[in-house]
Each structure stands twice: as structure tokens, then as C-alpha cells.
Amino acid sequence: MPASADGDPLSEDWDEEEEDEDGEVLTPRTRTVLRLALEELPGQAWQEVVGLGDASLPRGAGGLFGSLPPVTLRQDSRWWRQMARAFDDLAAGLTSETDVEPRSTGEEMALRLGIARAAELTRNRPRFVREAAGDLPEDSRDFDWTACSGFLFQDHDVLMLFDDSLDGIEDADSDVNQALGMVNLAPLDWFTPFAPEQARADDRGFRHP
């Protein structure tokens, strides 16, 4: 299917086969704007954590957590705190020169929302973007958020959780889940690392107690 025109990382029209043929996808300017986006999101996430407490979210709720798949809406404060920390972990990773690599389903979704926020910045706040990245070398691949989505993720399985017709696909025992080889789609598994060597330090704590 063709990639979406605005590079929305939550679009169903991603081109999973797109490859980086013309140069680096995560260019310096792209990386800077993505970092800025990911630095904005943790603050919003923690505000929502405080506001929610142990409450669940109604379907159709707004805000950052309201944009997560419906299967996540009936979670408790511990889950919301872990989701907020996923944004923090990704933002911290982008301050280094290493590639951004989501290590769990929660981090995958956090990164997708980060790319969506970065696309909003380049579309709606061009002056802010110029001031933040204007001194960096320009590249023909700058701000190609659709290409970033194809480059930074191994698959797009988590997006299936937005499809009401696939209700129950997060169940590891379901036929579809097993047939497609999906892992860690159930909310309680969102913060389990994809591989043991990808586990983050247990003692890193949380931004807020």
C-alpha cells in the first residue's frame, strides 16, 4: 500500500517494504526534531498519570493515553507509570549517538507517538523547527517520517490493536496471534523486553515517585 501523504505513523498506509536507498533516514535534522518531540511527550504522560490515578480511561478519551489502542484503556496507575517511563527511556536514548531502538511493545508505541508528534512539529511549527535544527546540514531525507517508521520498527503488529475487527488478537493463545508469530501485545506484556539482552536497568526508577 502507498505511504500516507503526511507521514502519520499511526496510519494504516505505511509501506513496510520501503528501504533506505537514498541515504540515512535518521538524518541529523530528523533526529533533532524527533528528540524534541520525545522530550515533550514524557511531561504530558506524567501529567496524565497524576490525573488518572488508578482510574481507567473511557473509550474515545482524549490526551496522550487516550490515543493508545483501546485494549490499554482499563489499566491501573502502575501501568500508566510504566508507559510514561517508556517515553522517558526513549527520550534519554536520543541524547546519545546510538540509534533509537524500541525494546518493548510499550516503547514501540511511545516511539510511534513520538514520530507523530515530530510530524506535527514540522507541519505546524516550522519556525520552532528552523530554530532547533537550522544550523545542522540539510539532507534530502530530512523529516521523512514515513521512512523513519519503516526504518525504526521491525514490524507494525501493535497497530492491529486499533482494529476492532481483530478484537482478542493480543491474546497469545489466539489462533491469529500464534499464526502470525506475534509477541507481547497484551497490555500486561507491554513492558517485557523483546529479548533479555534488551532489558533496561531495573534500578533506573521513575521520574516521579
Side-chain angles (χ1 to χ4, degrees):
M1 292 182 292
S4 62
D6 62 359
D8 182 354
L10 299 184
S11 169
E12 296 178 355
D13 294 331
W14 283 2
D15 184 352
E16 297 189 25
E17 302 300 323
E18 180 172 358
E19 296 180 359
D20 178 21
E21 297 176 348
D22 301 321
E24 182 183 2
V25 171
L26 202 60
T27 66
R29 286 159 60 88
T30 301
R31 186 186 188 90
T32 295
V33 175
L34 181 56
R35 175 178 57 79
L36 292 172
L38 286 171
E39 286 176 349
E40 285 187 0
L41 292 177
Q44 182 179 347
W46 282 108
Q47 286 182 348
E48 293 186 16
V49 167
V50 173
L52 277 170
D54 274 323
S56 59
L57 281 171
R59 195 178 183 94
L64 189 61
F65 290 156
S67 64
L68 299 177
V71 71
T72 69
L73 298 180
R74 300 185 64 81
Q75 304 305 312
D76 59 17
S77 61
R78 174 174 171 76
W79 196 94
W80 299 124
R81 282 162 52 80
Q82 288 179 292
M83 191 64 219
R85 185 170 63 179
F87 289 103
D88 277 329
D89 286 338
L90 287 174
L94 262 179
T95 62
S96 69
E97 293 302 318
T98 58
D99 284 337
V100 184
E101 182 180 10
R103 304 185 185 186
S104 66
T105 301
E107 289 187 19
E108 274 194 340
M109 183 53 64
L111 182 54
R112 293 179 191 282
L113 293 173
I115 293 173
R117 178 63 60 88
E120 290 177 8
L121 291 178
T122 53
R123 184 169 58 247
N124 300 328
R125 298 170 64 186
R127 181 176 178 180
F128 174 73
V129 170
R130 285 196 303 270
E131 291 174 350
D135 293 337
L136 296 172
E138 294 186 14
D139 189 285
S140 62
R141 302 301 295 271
D142 285 341
F143 314 139
D144 187 343
W145 303 115
T146 300
C148 282
S149 299
F151 174 71
L152 292 173
F153 300 101
Q154 295 184 16
D155 59 57
H156 305 304
D157 290 352
V158 71
L159 297 184
M160 294 184 182
L161 295 177
F162 288 101
D163 189 339
D164 290 340
S165 69
L166 297 175
D167 185 40
I169 198 172
E170 73 278 5
D171 184 353
D173 293 327
S174 72
D175 292 340
V176 176
N177 186 296
Q178 292 187 2
L180 296 179
M182 297 174 168
V183 295
N184 298 352
L185 290 187
L188 292 180
D189 297 326
W190 268 37
F191 309 108
T192 300
F194 293 132
E197 62 271 16
Q198 292 182 311
R200 298 190 185 274
D202 289 334
D203 60 357
R204 72 190 185 283
F206 292 86
R207 180 195 294 208
H208 297 291

